[in-house]
Amino acid sequence: MGVNGRDVDRSLYTPPGPRSAVPPGHKGALHTGAGGLVYGDGSWDLTVFVTDLQVERTLRVKGDVHIGGVMIKLVDSLDIAMDWSDHAIWWPTRNIWLDKTRWTLDQYSVNADTVIHFTPMHKTLRIQLPDLRYVDCTVDFSVKTFNAGVVMCRELGLRHPEELSLCKPLDSEHLKQNYQEVMMRRRPAAPTKEVHSGERIDTNTFVSQNGTLRSPNSQTPTSTLRTPKAQRHSPQGTLQNGNYSPYSNGHSYVTGRPLTPQGPTVEEMGLAMSPPATPEAKQTLLKPKSLEQRARMNVGWLDSSLSIMEQGVREFDTLHLRYKYYSFYDLNPKYDANRINQIFEQARWQILNEEIDCTEEEMMLFAALQLQVAMQANVPQPAADEDETDDVDEELKKLQMTLEGGLGQGWNSVTEDPTMSDYLQYFKTGDCTPCSCILRPKRFTLKSYKRMYFVCKNLYLLAYKSKDSGELLFSVPLKGCEVTPMVN
């Protein structure tokens, strides 16, 4: 723009608004109305909170600096030798990841009033499996929920991860009224750097406003953005002496598993067998009493097109892994022992909690199957042979047997002639010739049918007195003969 015919650099332009006094040591710096510090050369101070170290750094940047350059400048200012490759920038106010490292700060609309977090992308989640077992999984919070579920199912040994989805745990209060009405009655938490208090971009209405998915009486670790590190303490001692950071919400640092009984781990007992459900897991079960309450149970599903972090989930939170659609593809007992057991366990608990509709006969059938499963679980199962042929070899064997003329019950090779044998009734005339010994009886005769054992082989019909008799009575050549039905 021009002033008195002269061009003025836009980087020196400061938005209008009340300005405060310039702090000592900041020559040529101006304060905007919102508190951001902008220098005369167009640069400004960007506040970055490092969640691993619980420290805050202030970087002097410009709007044309890309996100990758901001991370490099931050790591250089920290001067700590550690692996930062898994870290990314999270913007709590906008509830988004700044994952496009080539984008500039101006493209993301980051200004001097913005506070961003430098946090790990992989965090620990407490996952409840379909058999109500709890496992601790390391999940990527920066990718889409569907992609994170695919990686999680691969680590758990469950095929076809598209059948499963993550959902947030509900309580009985969520079944009585809609979730939005429930949250309106609750007092929102005070906004902090870890908790977002503005408008969310999440399309799912089930987003916790206090940044946690736990009930107030839960004994599990609280929601933080910190990743556990073994035998490492905060350099400022803020995690030990009670002088907590203002961004940690006063939460202590917990690195271990929850204190509640967990039962055997996945390493101790595979997913093909399920231990008894713990009392804590049984307390999370809900029993809907109407069709409306069953419909409200679907509010907890996460949006597969958004990341886990964008949907209000934080580190050490609890999520449920469930089969969402009851359409299962390619169930193979040879490869899907874990998958079949998890489907069975989810169906069992849903029937007991009346989450799905079924008749009494179907319940009894399922109970009978459950009894057989429990009885066979204590019986040693035959181990699969190491040299067991695969499906292709089995199909080739079946094809070979089919080409040989059957399934191996009639003959052993293609060189052996097929035979047919049975007891038949026949009538023999007085002048029996090889071609006319079996005829229809004449009317008004004293002769009747006789019963003999016949064998059809090599185009000959062989007659025996009985099946065990080896004496051939006569034979009839069948070459050129035709079989016609007897019409009365």
Side-chain angles (χ1 to χ4, degrees):
M1 63 183 188
V3 179
N4 296 329
R6 292 179 298 175
D7 293 334
V8 180
D9 190 1
R10 291 179 178 270
S11 62
L12 300 178
Y13 173 72
T14 304
R19 299 173 181 177
S20 57
V22 179
H26 291 77
K27 297 181 179 180
L30 297 177
H31 274 285
T32 62
L37 186 61
V38 180
Y39 296 92
D41 58 351
S43 62
W44 37 272
D45 288 338
L46 176 64
T47 304
V48 183
F49 178 65
V50 184
T51 59
D52 272 359
L53 307 178
Q54 293 290 290
V55 297
E56 187 178 281
R57 287 289 185 269
T58 301
L59 305 177
R60 186 170 177 177
V61 296
K62 290 185 178 181
D64 58 352
V65 178
H66 54 80
I67 300 299
V70 173
M71 292 191 291
I72 294 175
K73 184 178 295 188
L74 174 63
V75 172
D76 292 342
S77 66
L78 292 174
D79 196 18
I80 297 178
M82 60 178 293
D83 186 11
W84 301 99
S85 60
D86 188 47
H87 287 62
I89 294 180
W90 165 256
W91 192 353
T93 307
R94 292 287 183 88
N95 200 44
I96 58 173
W97 286 94
L98 307 186
D99 52 356
K100 298 179 181 179
T101 55
R102 294 189 178 183
W103 278 31
T104 62
L105 297 176
D106 287 341
Q107 289 178 292
Y108 273 116
S109 300
V110 177
N111 50 41
D113 304 327
T114 304
V115 177
I116 58 178
H117 290 178
F118 191 58
T119 182
M121 294 179 289
H122 288 79
K123 302 177 184 296
T124 303
L125 272 183
R126 191 172 180 234
I127 302 297
Q128 188 189 63
L129 300 178
D131 60 353
L132 305 186
R133 193 190 322 186
Y134 288 97
V135 294
D136 295 335
C137 299
T138 302
V139 184
D140 192 348
F141 275 49
S142 63
V143 298
K144 295 181 179 180
T145 302
F146 178 80
N147 298 337
V150 170
V151 177
M152 186 191 311
C153 292
R154 186 186 303 120
E155 295 176 353
L156 295 175
L158 298 174
R159 295 203 312 155
H160 297 287
E162 67 276 2
E163 300 173 351
L164 295 105
S165 184
L166 293 171
C167 62
K168 300 178 182 179
L170 304 176
D171 52 35
S172 58
E173 188 178 0
H174 296 134
L175 299 183
K176 299 177 182 179
Q177 292 183 352
N178 294 335
Y179 180 78
Q180 292 179 344
E181 299 176 0
V182 174
M183 296 307 300
M184 287 179 62
R185 298 198 313 269
R186 297 181 180 178
R187 180 177 302 175
T192 62
K193 290 190 176 182
E194 184 181 346
V195 180
H196 172 57
S197 59
E199 181 182 359
R200 294 186 181 273
I201 63 173
D202 189 5
T203 58
N204 191 348
T205 57
F206 187 90
V207 178
S208 177
Q209 294 188 7
N210 56 5
T212 179
L213 300 177
R214 299 188 183 89
S215 60
N217 298 328
S218 175
Q219 299 179 1
T220 54
T222 51
S223 298
T224 64
L225 289 172
R226 297 182 289 274
T227 300
K229 302 293 182 182
Q231 302 297 328
R232 184 174 63 80
H233 303 286
S234 172
Q236 298 179 350
T238 57
L239 304 178
Q240 299 294 334
N241 55 14
N243 299 324
Y244 300 113
S245 169
Y247 313 120
S248 64
N249 295 334
H251 295 157
S252 60
Y253 184 59
V254 182
T255 61
R257 293 164 58 90
L259 302 178
T260 52
Q262 299 297 308
T265 61
V266 178
E267 292 77 11
E268 298 170 353
M269 178 181 292
L271 299 183
M273 298 181 62
S274 300
T278 60
E280 178 195 4
K282 292 182 179 180
Q283 291 179 359
T284 62
L285 298 177
L286 300 179
K287 294 184 178 181
K289 299 180 180 180
S290 62
L291 182 61
E292 184 179 8
Q293 292 186 0
R294 291 177 185 172
R296 284 173 178 160
M297 294 188 67
N298 294 320
V299 74
W301 295 106
L302 295 186
D303 191 340
S304 59
S305 63
L306 297 176
S307 67
I308 297 179
M309 195 83 161
E310 292 173 348
Q311 303 185 62
V313 183
R314 296 297 179 261
E315 191 172 11
F316 301 121
D317 282 348
T318 301
L319 291 179
H320 294 175
L321 183 65
R322 296 290 187 268
Y323 286 92
K324 189 173 184 178
Y325 302 107
Y326 306 123
S327 178
F328 310 108
Y329 173 74
D330 189 22
L331 280 175
N332 192 334
K334 184 177 179 181
Y335 306 106
D336 295 327
N338 297 345
R339 181 173 164 218
I340 293 175
N341 179 65
Q342 296 302 314
I343 293 175
F344 168 79
E345 289 293 331
Q346 178 173 336
R348 181 166 73 99
W349 288 110
Q350 286 184 339
I351 290 177
L352 293 176
N353 298 331
E354 300 180 359
E355 294 183 26
I356 55 178
D357 289 326
C358 57
T359 62
E360 185 177 355
E361 290 76 10
E362 293 174 341
M363 292 183 183
M364 295 176 64
L365 175 60
F366 193 90
L369 294 175
Q370 180 181 352
L371 176 61
Q372 292 298 323
V373 170
M375 295 176 61
Q376 292 297 325
N378 300 325
V379 178
Q381 301 296 326
D385 298 334
E386 296 180 358
D387 56 347
E388 184 180 0
T389 58
D390 55 7
D391 297 339
V392 178
D393 294 337
E394 292 293 337
E395 295 298 329
L396 289 176
K397 285 185 177 181
K398 292 180 180 179
L399 179 60
Q400 179 183 359
M401 297 171 65
T402 304
L403 294 177
E404 291 176 354
L407 298 177
Q409 299 177 358
W411 50 88
N412 296 327
S413 64
V414 295
T415 59
E416 184 179 352
D417 296 328
T419 60
M420 294 191 332
S421 59
D422 202 356
Y423 283 96
L424 298 175
Q425 301 285 344
Y426 83 101
F427 181 82
K428 184 177 180 181
T429 61
D431 298 330
C432 182
T433 61
C435 294
S436 62
C437 62
I438 302 178
L439 299 173
R440 189 174 69 176
K442 296 180 180 180
R443 302 178 70 180
F444 307 109
T445 179
L446 298 176
K447 295 182 179 181
S448 61
Y449 285 98
K450 291 184 180 181
R451 186 175 184 269
M452 295 186 67
Y453 186 75
F454 289 89
V455 177
C456 182
K457 184 178 181 181
N458 291 335
L459 296 179
Y460 281 91
L461 189 62
L462 309 177
Y464 299 90
K465 187 176 182 179
S466 63
K467 182 178 181 180
D468 299 332
S469 177
E471 181 182 359
L472 178 63
L473 298 182
F474 60 88
S475 63
V476 180
L478 301 178
K479 188 176 182 179
C481 298
E482 295 181 359
V483 179
T484 58
M486 185 173 58
V487 181
N488 197 351

